[in-house]
Amino acid sequence: MDKQVVHKHELNKVNGQRYNVSDERQWALLNAGIEDLKEIHKKHKEFNHDMPTEIKLHYDVTQNKLSGKYRYDLVYLNSEELLPDHIFDAWFEEVKHQEN
């Protein structure tokens, strides 16, 4: 089976399985992620460590595997030209072109 990298709302188009990709489910996942980030930040403060400036997560549905990359250096500066969508799109293309 060829691996495909798709946006979350496209999951049901690729392998015949059915996933709950409703807006409600996506918001629930986003809110869970925000709570996790708050907890990560709390632990970093508790142990007097710097918080990562960038955290990239990639979930492989076929292997049920979550992988992450963390950076602590300053990655992006405030910019009127560089929007969060641009950063996400660049990350998505990076994941699409990774050889697994």
Side-chain angles (χ1 to χ4, degrees):
M1 176 168 83
D2 290 333
K3 288 191 176 189
Q4 293 180 338
V5 176
V6 296
H7 290 100
K8 60 190 177 303
H9 66 278
E10 300 173 314
L11 279 173
N12 291 328
K13 296 179 183 178
V14 292
N15 69 357
Q17 289 186 296
R18 300 295 300 166
Y19 299 97
N20 181 352
V21 294
S22 67
D23 287 346
E24 285 176 350
R25 186 69 174 155
Q26 291 182 46
W27 278 111
L29 180 61
L30 180 62
N31 288 329
I34 289 169
E35 291 304 314
D36 287 346
L37 279 174
K38 288 178 181 178
E39 195 61 32
I40 289 169
H41 184 256
K42 180 179 162 184
K43 289 297 178 187
H44 278 79
K45 280 182 86 168
E46 181 180 329
F47 292 100
N48 201 28
H49 289 284
D50 290 335
M51 180 73 175
T53 57
E54 179 179 81
I55 301 173
K56 292 182 179 181
L57 300 175
H58 171 215
Y59 178 66
D60 185 330
V61 173
T62 58
Q63 295 184 20
N64 192 28
K65 178 182 171 188
L66 180 68
S67 59
K69 293 180 182 178
Y70 305 89
R71 290 181 65 172
Y72 290 89
D73 57 317
L74 188 57
V75 181
Y76 301 104
L77 298 174
N78 290 335
S79 167
E80 291 183 21
E81 292 84 33
L82 187 62
L83 301 173
D85 285 350
H86 300 132
I87 296 167
F88 174 82
D89 291 342
W91 166 82
F92 188 80
E93 288 301 313
E94 176 187 324
V95 171
K96 262 175 69 172
H97 294 98
Q98 281 179 351
E99 293 193 33
N100 294 322

